[in-house]
Amino acid sequence: MSRLFSAYVIVDWSAAAKPATGPDSVWIGVMKRDLRFRLTFESFNPATRAEAEKKLAEILDDFRKRGERALVGFDFPLGFPRGLAKALGLPGDLPWRAVWDQLDKMVKDKADNTNNRFGVGSEINRRLTGGPFPFWGCPPKDALTTLQPKRQRAHGPEDLPEFRHADVAAKGAASIWKLYYNGSVGGQAILGIPAVRRLKLARGEGVKVWPFETGFKALTEADLAGVEVVVAEVYPSLYKAQPQPGEIKDQAQVRVSAEHFARLDETGKLDAIFAARSGAADVLLDAETEEGWILGVEA
């Protein structure tokens, strides 16, 4: 029984506005095999997103030198709810890529973690509705006409959806439109997607983003010929993480998530979770072209 991957990397992202370590900061968990093919785990806690990108590049460069393929899971959405690219009038036939390119143009994320995520949310709101919707959530000092600390109204039938199909299927995933407060993934996505875009641009066809570039299918070795990295969205809260002595919750979550995918690969069950075992055709099309999906969540 052959494994699809040699290593499993889980990245717990952060939208922090200043350098930070410990709880609620960036954690990178790496599960890989030693010289005796035993699984070993190590974690890294860089203080800034810039340091995290550099560390992740070093980790992946090491796997490349050894000819090893890695699964890299990021804990934020890689796509936005269906219809955003069209609503913004973005060019191109690939909505997910159009949104990635647009965010890359708008986001300013400095080496010290200073960033303009609230400004990005505010500007997208202005283009979409001219008011503080659909993005919401910010410190009172950052409030603007087109971005408010609290949600102003619910989503109606004529609005962009509040949740992606994957968020609904995951039962409890937060809305990407929420930019601040506990459980907000919007800020992480705004700052994280450009980082994933840079990772892909730097490595070209050696990186494939699931399901945008692979489709929903059980991946085979033939599908991954020449591929060094498969990037996917993950949801660590799906897996019960009990911290070991000396661990904090975030660190335990990346470890347990990496262990989960490694165990599936060891038993020949990982390939199947890249496929949609059920789900309406329109849901799968939205996921493949624009919204993305959470690895391990059934459609």
Side-chain angles (χ1 to χ4, degrees):
M1 183 183 300
S2 61
R3 296 182 294 266
L4 289 178
F5 301 96
S6 299
Y8 316 85
V9 181
I10 304 298
V11 183
D12 181 0
W13 205 241
S14 168
K18 59 183 179 180
T21 57
D24 301 320
S25 63
V26 178
W27 283 89
I28 302 174
V30 181
M31 185 73 67
K32 61 183 180 180
R33 293 176 176 83
D34 62 16
L35 294 176
R36 296 184 180 181
F37 299 99
R38 296 174 301 190
L39 283 169
T40 61
F41 178 77
E42 59 182 334
S43 61
F44 306 91
N45 185 209
T48 66
R49 285 177 294 277
E51 292 174 18
E53 279 193 61
K54 181 179 179 181
K55 172 54 68 174
L56 183 58
E58 292 173 355
I59 292 167
L60 298 181
D61 284 345
D62 183 55
F63 292 146
R64 173 191 282 170
K65 290 176 184 177
R66 295 190 289 178
E68 298 180 344
R69 183 186 301 129
L71 171 65
V72 179
F74 290 92
D75 74 333
F76 54 80
L78 297 176
F80 280 75
R82 54 203 175 276
L84 177 61
K86 181 179 180 181
L88 289 174
L90 303 181
D93 298 327
L94 298 174
W96 70 271
R97 181 66 73 100
V99 172
W100 281 30
D101 291 345
Q102 182 62 37
L103 285 177
D104 185 66
K105 294 175 182 177
M106 300 176 75
V107 169
K108 306 299 180 186
D109 193 6
K110 297 182 180 179
D112 64 354
N113 267 1
T114 303
N115 65 82
N116 68 336
R117 67 189 187 279
F118 300 127
V120 172
S122 174
E123 174 59 18
I124 292 177
N125 279 351
R126 185 192 68 78
R127 297 184 191 183
L128 291 175
T129 66
F133 183 87
F135 279 114
W136 66 275
C138 64
K141 66 180 179 61
D142 292 305
L144 298 164
T145 303
T146 49
L147 185 69
Q148 291 294 304
K150 295 184 179 181
R151 191 168 80 149
Q152 299 298 293
R153 64 177 177 86
H155 288 247
E158 301 303 317
D159 297 319
L160 293 174
E162 181 175 7
F163 298 100
R164 301 175 302 154
H165 295 303
D167 301 327
V168 175
K171 299 177 182 179
S175 170
I176 198 170
W177 304 118
K178 182 180 178 182
L179 293 180
Y180 196 55
Y181 312 113
N182 291 337
S184 61
V185 296
Q188 293 180 35
I190 285 176
L191 299 177
I193 286 175
V196 179
R197 181 181 181 275
R198 288 189 290 271
L199 183 154
K200 178 166 174 56
L201 287 178
R203 297 169 189 274
E205 292 304 306
V207 174
K208 294 295 183 184
V209 182
W210 176 87
F212 299 139
E213 297 181 300
T214 63
F216 274 114
K217 60 181 293 186
L219 297 181
T220 66
E221 186 62 39
D223 295 323
L224 299 179
V227 176
E228 301 169 2
V229 177
V230 173
V231 169
E233 176 187 346
V234 297
Y235 188 22
S237 295
L238 290 174
Y239 317 109
K240 295 181 179 179
Q242 184 65 39
Q244 295 178 345
E247 276 190 330
I248 66 169
K249 180 181 177 181
D250 310 67
Q251 186 178 15
Q253 284 189 319
V254 296
R255 173 180 56 80
V256 171
S257 298
E259 287 173 347
H260 172 76
F261 293 114
R263 187 164 53 249
L264 288 177
D265 208 6
E266 286 285 340
T267 55
K269 298 177 181 177
L270 183 60
D271 58 342
I273 72 169
F274 290 99
R277 283 165 281 182
S278 60
D282 60 335
V283 170
L284 302 183
L285 181 62
D286 287 338
E288 288 183 348
T289 60
E290 187 160 15
E291 293 192 339
W293 199 263
I294 301 168
L295 192 62
V297 172
E298 289 198 32

